[in-house]
Amino acid sequence: MLMDVTLRSDDIKGIRQAGARFGADLVVIIDGIAAVDRYNNYLAWLYPTLIGAYLVPGTESDVLVMATAHLLAVRSDWHTPIQTTEGQSKVTGAAAFLEDNTPLHEAKRLAIQTLGKQITELLRLLK
């Protein structure tokens, strides 16, 4: 795995050179973006009570992650974009304890898993 700290996605020549350095035939570039939408549901009217903010599941967090991949051949100019995929996750909980990291990681996992299936299918068709 090549880390994005060392390479930029717009430096195709550098990515191909790094892939060749590691002995890869193909390089997959995954790019994505995430959005978190937090809102109160019908139970939020209990939040003004001090205990309500800690016990009542009145806040919902919806996460959407969109990811796209590009498959590049290291030793030629061949490349192909792969369809954009998305992963969604939702969590409900009390406002005081609800964190967005868990649904964010779940949505990211789902998007990358879907991309993996599409890449596998594309490589199967290229055989």
Side-chain angles (χ1 to χ4, degrees), residues 81-95:
I82 298 172
Q83 183 179 7
T84 301
T85 62
E86 64 181 43
Q88 297 179 354
S89 183
K90 182 177 185 175
V91 67
T92 303

Side-chain angles (χ1 to χ4, degrees), residues 35-39 60-64 100:
V36 178
D37 184 22
R38 248 184 161 197
Y39 55 92
E60 297 184 19
S61 181
D62 291 332
V63 178
L64 173 66
D100 295 330

Side-chain angles (χ1 to χ4, degrees), residues 42-95:
Y42 66 95
L43 295 173
W45 67 272
L46 293 168
Y47 280 171
T49 65
L50 189 56
I51 295 176
Y54 292 96
L55 298 177
V56 176
T59 301
E60 297 184 19
S61 181
D62 291 332
V63 178
L64 173 66
V65 173
M66 297 185 73
T68 187
H70 296 275
L71 194 58
L72 301 170
V74 171
R75 293 175 183 84
S76 71
D77 287 335
W78 181 84
H79 73 280
T80 182
I82 298 172
Q83 183 179 7
T84 301
T85 62
E86 64 181 43
Q88 297 179 354
S89 183
K90 182 177 185 175
V91 67
T92 303

